[in-house]
Amino acid sequence: MSKNHEQQTHTLLGWQAQGGPPRLSGDLYQFGRRVEADGSWTIYHVFTGTPAHIGSWTMTGLNRRNAEKALAILNTH
């Protein structure tokens, strides 16, 4: 696992422990995931198609496992 993916995993585990990611507003968005041409995964806002930004993290370049975890956490109400 690359160092970047390890950092992503650590962040996601923290979100799980805290009941979800920090949100910039009270809105709950719907997110999707897509595989990119380089084989990495992106979490995106389904209405705009733009990559999700949670805090300072732009959710691109994820491996499949982290994308699955992130999507499950982000779409939990």
Side-chain angles (χ1 to χ4, degrees):
M1 182 182 293
S2 75
K3 183 172 181 147
N4 189 38
H5 290 158
E6 288 177 20
Q7 290 172 325
Q8 293 169 354
T9 299
H10 179 74
T11 299
L12 293 169
L13 291 173
W15 288 358
Q16 285 177 319
Q18 297 170 10
R23 298 197 185 275
L24 300 177
S25 69
D27 297 333
L28 292 176
Y29 297 108
Q30 294 296 314
F31 295 92
R33 67 179 173 170
R34 65 178 175 240
V35 65
E36 304 294 349
D38 66 359
S40 69
W41 290 78
T42 297
I43 302 298
Y44 67 95
H45 186 266
V46 295
F47 299 114
T48 66
T50 60
H53 294 271
I54 308 298
S56 62
W57 185 9
T58 301
M59 302 200 72
T60 58
L62 291 95
N63 63 22
R64 183 178 181 156
R65 185 174 182 176
N66 286 344
E68 289 172 356
K69 286 181 185 178
L71 188 62
I73 293 167
L74 290 169
N75 284 332
T76 299
H77 297 279

